[in-house]
C-alpha cells in the first residue's frame, strides 16, 4: 500500500512539474540589440542563422490557396525572433529580405497588405505584417502578432484600465498578470519590457497588442506599486494597423485569410 501511495505521489509530482515547465516556456530574459529599430547593419544578413526554410526574398511568392500546414516545414523560436528584431523597439521595422534570409518565409499571403504566417516552437502562430511595397527589398515589417488561442474583445471585459488619455496617465486596477491570464502570449511583451525598461519608460512607452477574432486590442501600461498596471486601451474593430513614418500617416489592415486563424478550441 505504501509503495502504491508513493508511486501515485511521484506520478502527480511529475505531471505537475511538466505543467509548470510548459507554463514557463514564454518567460525569458532578453538582451537588447545593438543596432537601431531591429534592422541589421549592411552585410549582416549573410551572417544570420540560416535554416532549411530560409531563401532569398525575391524567391518567396504569395500563395493565398495552400493551407499553412502544408507550406510550413520548420517552426520558429519566438524568443530568437523577438529578441533579435523587436527588443529595442516593439514597433521596429526590420526588412522583409532579412526575415526571409534569416528565419525563412514559407507562407506569404496578400490581402490588404502582405503578411507571413509562422508556426512557433513554443506553440501557436506568429504573424508578420508588412508594408505594401511590391519590391521585396523595400518591404518592411509594420506589425507583429503572436497568437496562442482564439480570443474576442469580450474575453477581456474584466480588465479595468485607468482611463488614461494622451495628456493624463493613470494606473489601472488590473495588471499585466491579469491580461496574461486571458492571453498568455502577453508574456512576450513583458519579457521585452524587462529587457529594455528604460526605453519603454522614457521613450516609446510600453504596451501589448492582441489579434482577436473581432478586432485588435491594444493596452498601455504604467509601472507602479502593483507592477505593470493597465493604464489605457484602444480597440480597432476594423483591424487597422496604424503607423506613422516620417510624418506620413498610413493605415493598413490586419486581414487574415480564414484558413490562417488558429483552430477554435472545442
Amino acid at each position: 500500500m505504501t509503495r502504491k501511495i508513493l508511486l501515485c505521489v511521484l506520478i502527480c509530482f511529475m505531471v505537475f512539474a511538466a505543467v509548470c515547465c510548459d507554463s514557463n516556456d514564454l518567460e525569458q530574459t532578453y538582451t537588447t540589440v545593438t543596432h537601431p529599430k531591429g534592422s541589421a547593419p549592411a552585410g549582416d544578413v549573410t551572417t544570420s542563422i540560416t535554416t532549411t526554410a530560409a531563401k532569398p526574398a525575391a524567391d518567396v511568392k504569395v500563395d493565398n490557396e495552400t493551407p499553412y500546414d502544408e507550406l510550413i516545414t520548420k517552426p520558429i523560436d519566438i524568443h530568437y525572433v523577438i529578441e533579435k528584431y523587436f527588443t529595442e523597439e516593439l514597433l521596429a521595422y526590420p526588412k522583409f529580405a532579412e526575415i526571409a534570409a534569416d528565419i525563412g518565409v514559407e507562407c506569404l499571403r496578400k490581402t490588404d497588405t502582405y503578411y507571413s504566417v509562422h508556426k512557433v516552437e513554443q506553440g501557436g502562430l506568429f504573424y508578420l505584417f508588412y508594408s505594401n511595397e511590391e519590391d521585396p527589398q523595400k518591404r518592411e515589417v509594420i506589425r507583429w502578432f503572436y497568437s496562442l488561442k482564439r480570443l474576442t474583445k469580450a474575453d477581456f471585459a474584466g480588465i479595468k484600465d485607468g482611463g488614461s488619455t494622451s495628456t493624463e496617465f493613470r494606473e489601472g486596477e488590473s495588471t499585466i498578470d491579469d491580461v496574461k491570464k486571458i492571453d498568455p502570449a502577453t508574456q512576450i511583451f513583458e519579457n521585452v519590457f524587462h529587457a529594455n525598461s528604460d526605453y519603454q519608460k522614457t521613450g516609446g512607452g510600453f504596451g501589448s497588442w492582441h489579434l482577436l477574432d473581432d478586432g485588435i486590442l491594444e493596452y498601455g501600461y504604467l509601472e507602479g506599486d502593483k507592477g505593470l498596471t493597465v493604464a489605457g486601451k484602444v480597440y480597432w474593430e476594423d483591424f487597422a494597423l496604424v503607423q506613422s513614418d516620417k510624418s506620413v500617416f498610413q493605415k493598413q489592415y490586419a486581414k487574415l485569410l480564414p484558413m490562417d486563424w488558429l483552430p477554435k478550441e472545442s
Side-chain angles (χ1 to χ4, degrees):
M1 178 66 72
T2 304
R3 229 181 223 184
K4 287 183 179 179
I5 293 173
L6 288 174
L7 183 60
C8 288
V9 170
L10 180 60
I11 291 173
C12 289
F13 175 78
M14 290 173 67
V15 170
F16 176 76
V19 170
C20 286
C21 288
D22 287 343
S23 66
N24 290 331
D25 279 352
L26 296 184
E27 188 175 351
Q28 288 272 348
T29 300
Y30 297 161
T31 56
T32 55
V33 294
T34 57
H35 44 79
K37 293 191 175 180
S39 300
D44 191 61
V45 171
T46 59
T47 61
S48 301
I49 295 175
T50 56
T51 71
T52 55
K55 62 173 67 174
D59 294 340
V60 180
K61 305 302 180 185
V62 171
D63 182 341
N64 280 4
E65 304 296 329
T66 309
Y68 65 80
D69 269 335
E70 298 178 20
L71 293 171
I72 300 174
T73 63
K74 186 177 181 63
I76 63 166
D77 178 347
I78 190 66
H79 300 303
Y80 171 79
V81 176
I82 298 298
E83 184 171 23
K84 179 171 183 179
Y85 296 102
F86 303 105
T87 304
E88 186 162 318
E89 294 185 37
L90 283 170
L91 278 174
Y93 302 101
K95 297 292 186 181
F96 174 81
E98 185 180 5
I99 297 294
D102 185 3
I103 63 171
V105 175
E106 297 183 286
C107 179
L108 181 64
R109 312 294 201 193
K110 177 69 183 298
T111 53
D112 182 68
T113 189
Y114 293 94
Y115 71 90
S116 57
V117 185
H118 307 262
K119 290 182 180 178
V120 179
E121 290 177 7
Q122 292 82 1
L125 294 175
F126 186 64
Y127 305 99
L128 287 168
F129 284 84
Y130 304 93
S131 55
N132 256 329
E133 282 83 0
E134 294 296 327
D135 183 349
Q137 300 299 326
K138 296 180 180 179
R139 196 180 303 152
E140 61 186 12
V141 173
I142 58 173
R143 186 71 70 94
W144 58 268
F145 295 95
Y146 180 33
S147 179
L148 284 168
K149 60 181 180 177
R150 299 281 291 273
L151 294 165
T152 67
K153 183 185 178 186
D155 292 316
F156 295 83
I159 299 298
K160 298 179 180 179
D161 65 88
S164 294
T165 66
S166 59
T167 57
E168 185 177 1
F169 300 98
R170 296 186 290 267
E171 290 185 36
E173 184 177 328
S174 298
T175 68
I176 196 169
D177 288 333
D178 298 319
V179 179
K180 281 193 296 185
K181 289 174 184 176
I182 301 166
D183 184 0
T186 311
Q187 179 65 58
I188 298 299
F189 292 93
E190 188 174 15
N191 293 349
V192 173
F193 174 81
H194 290 306
N196 198 6
S197 59
D198 287 343
Y199 167 78
Q200 310 296 349
K201 291 174 186 175
T202 61
F206 175 66
S208 65
W209 45 78
H210 312 265
L211 184 61
L212 313 177
D213 283 4
D214 49 0
I216 296 172
L217 182 61
E218 301 181 11
Y219 284 120
Y221 301 88
L222 286 175
E223 190 174 33
D225 294 338
K226 295 190 297 181
L228 289 169
T229 67
V230 183
K233 66 177 183 291
V234 179
Y235 175 63
W236 305 96
E237 63 180 7
D238 58 356
F239 294 89
L241 299 171
V242 178
Q243 56 168 331
S244 60
D245 184 24
K246 297 180 181 177
S247 329
V248 178
F249 179 79
Q250 298 176 322
K251 184 181 279 190
Q252 294 168 217
Y253 300 89
K255 294 181 178 178
L256 294 180
L257 295 173
M259 62 181 170
D260 288 337
W261 292 94
L262 282 170
K264 289 186 177 179
E265 296 178 356
S266 55

